[in-house]
């Protein structure tokens, strides 16, 4: 045996660390950052609403809080515009209002079935709620 071979203990330690890491990643919650691209689909919007929508989309790159406030204001006056409803849902999800986001995603699908944002948002919210419940149970709290 040469010096370039690891000892049995070193190999065992490496295997244990690898297995422990794999088990942890399978079981423990992980925060993820989701990068979302806001599409500028303004079909059906006219005048000031169209301009406000365009501004809210631009703000999403530089000031997400201001963008979300703009989408909330737009939603108040345009509750039947699927992109506005979806993006307002996305903002509520960002603010941890998962129930409010879910309601808006469902509303967006009623207005425009099959759209990507609400279709992708609903399972993401369900996953987040399930993870919260699992963490609460693991910490001794009730969900």
């Amino acid at each position: 045996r040469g010096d370039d071979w690891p000892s049995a203990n070193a190999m065992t330690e490496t295997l244990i660390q690898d297995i422990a890491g794999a088990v942890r990643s399978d079981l423990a919650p992980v925060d993820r950052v989701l990068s979302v691209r806001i599409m500028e689909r303004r079909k059906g919007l006219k005048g000031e609403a169209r301009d406000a929508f365009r501004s809210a989309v631009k703000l999403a790159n530089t000031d997400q809080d201001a963008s979300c406030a703009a989408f909330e204001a737009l939603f108040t006056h345009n509750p039947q515009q699927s992109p506005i409803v979806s993006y307002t849902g996305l903002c509520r999800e960002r603010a941890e209002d998962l129930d409010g986001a879910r309601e808006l995603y469902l509303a967006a699908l009623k207005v425009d079935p099959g759209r990507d944002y609400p279709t992708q948002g609903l399972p993401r919210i369900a996953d987040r709620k399930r993870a919260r419940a699992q963490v609460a149970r693991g910490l001794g709290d009730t969900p």
Side-chain angles (χ1 to χ4, degrees), residues 56-76:
V57 169
K58 284 183 182 179
L59 279 171
N61 292 324
T62 58
D63 188 345
Q64 292 179 355
D65 291 333
S67 176
C68 285
F71 280 121
E72 287 283 353
L74 279 163
F75 172 68
T76 302

Side-chain angles (χ1 to χ4, degrees), residues 4-142:
D4 57 342
W5 289 87
S7 70
N9 286 342
M11 289 191 312
T12 303
E13 183 65 30
T14 299
L15 287 173
I16 289 171
Q17 287 177 356
D18 290 348
I19 292 168
V23 169
R24 190 236 180 259
S25 92
D26 286 344
L27 300 177
V30 176
D31 279 336
R32 292 186 176 96
V33 175
L34 177 64
S35 178
V36 176
R37 182 169 181 240
I38 304 291
M39 305 300 285
E40 283 196 52
R41 201 179 120 221
R42 298 180 301 271
K43 184 178 178 182
L45 289 174
K46 293 182 174 51
E48 286 182 31
R50 186 178 180 90
D51 294 341
F53 181 83
R54 185 180 309 133
S55 295
V57 169
K58 284 183 182 179
L59 279 171
N61 292 324
T62 58
D63 188 345
Q64 292 179 355
D65 291 333
S67 176
C68 285
F71 280 121
E72 287 283 353
L74 279 163
F75 172 68
T76 302
H77 302 291
N78 301 278
Q80 295 298 312
Q81 291 293 326
S82 179
I84 291 172
V85 177
S86 293
Y87 298 152
T88 305
L90 191 62
C91 287
R92 291 192 185 171
E93 185 178 351
R94 176 181 174 268
E96 299 296 323
D97 177 8
L98 300 184
D99 291 331
R102 183 179 185 281
E103 284 181 32
L104 287 174
Y105 290 150
L106 290 171
L109 288 173
K110 284 182 185 174
V111 172
D112 194 2
R115 278 282 163 221
D116 289 349
Y117 286 108
T119 300
Q120 294 167 358
L122 289 170
R124 189 173 55 243
I125 287 174
D127 288 346
R128 289 178 68 186
K129 288 180 117 180
R130 187 174 49 256
R132 284 181 178 178
Q134 289 170 347
V135 168
R137 280 193 306 273
L139 297 175
D141 299 338
T142 55

